[in-house]
Amino acid sequence: MPHRAPVPLRAPVRVPVRAFVLALVLLVCALGCGRAGSPPVKGPQPEDLPVYQVDTGFRLPDSPTWKRAERRGHLVVGVKEDQPYLGEKDPASGRYSGFDIEIAKMMSASLGFDPQTIEYKTIASANRETALQNGQIDYYVGTYTINDNRKKQVGFAGPYYMAGQSLLVRKDEQDIGGPQDLAGKKVCSAAGSTPYQRLQKEFPKAVLVAYDTYSVCVDNLLTYQVDAVSTDDSILLGYAAKVPEELKVVGTPFSREPYGIGVPRSDNALRFALDDALEAQEKNGNWKKAYEATLGLSGVPAPTPPAIDRYPAS
Ligand code: GLU
């Protein structure tokens, strides 16, 4: 029966096509789809990021930091590398991404340096002041809270974002709903951070554990070495968004953490130039676009940025 010959031929063809389509759907899902409203698993998409116009005629002769960068030919910027959607380094490509990285890039463009030439240095919370004082970096953008104590050691442009201290726990945690529940609980934070200092002072019954970075705290949380991680909500929401089936952020923020760009303390010219640059980049829409392509991915819509605090020269 010759007319039946094509059947066995077509069958093996159909199966792989179906399998291929299924595999493709699974792959697309793995890359982008999840529960309704959940953020995509992938990080910032380069095509969503603003392109910052480099102010090629810009000069800042009164700033020793800017002049040194000009001689060098590029800026050296201190950042974090393990904070999802804020400052994150891709281990494969070595590339940095996130909202803080975008702020670093827009500042670079405003200061007349192509953002692509920025040399990033990962600096932990406890080492930021020293890095700025030693001239290891020109400025620092990494969830850096402006406060009076730090202002004695460094200068701050901004603020460019307002965060608040919060708590990250395992999804199955029933006992911790806010800082009032931390007595006798092991709570992890970063050495030298304001959240660590606040826990120490205001919640002395918590058993504090300090590491250099929050990602180590999160590893400790996932392996039941600690009961909670405490730092800014912006940081914790990023970790929770990466593994929503394992982690949750609880309670309401219990502090105000205005993020500034750290500069060498005596370089007022650089600080004021960065204040101007932030204001301009907020006005031209770049700030919002950058937020939406980065930190917005952890689930919070773009807020109105806080007013710049252009405090007098010191
Ligand atoms: N914003 C807080 C701070 O500057 C916590 C985040 C951090 O350690 O970078 O200390």
Side-chain angles (χ1 to χ4, degrees), residues 80 125 128 142-145 150 193-195 214 231-232 235 259:
K80 295 287 184 74
S125 297
R128 293 181 281 212
T143 61
Y144 198 8
T145 295
R150 288 176 176 165
S193 69
T194 49
Y214 300 108
T231 185
D232 304 338
I235 302 173
Y259 288 172

Side-chain angles (χ1 to χ4, degrees), residues 38 44 53 96 135 206 212 225:
S38 69
Q53 196 73 44
Y96 286 81
D212 283 348
Q225 313 293 306

Side-chain angles (χ1 to χ4, degrees), residues 8 15 25 28 31 33 47 70 102 105 113 118 124 127 129 131 148 169 185 204 209 221 224-225 241 266 274 294 308:
V15 175
V25 168
V28 169
L31 293 176
C33 69
E47 62 274 17
E70 199 202 19
E102 291 308 307
K105 283 159 60 181
F113 299 93
I118 294 177
N127 304 330
E129 291 79 28
D148 289 344
V169 295
K185 302 285 184 194
V209 180
L221 180 64
Y224 289 75
Q225 313 293 306
S266 54
L274 291 175
T294 56
I308 302 292

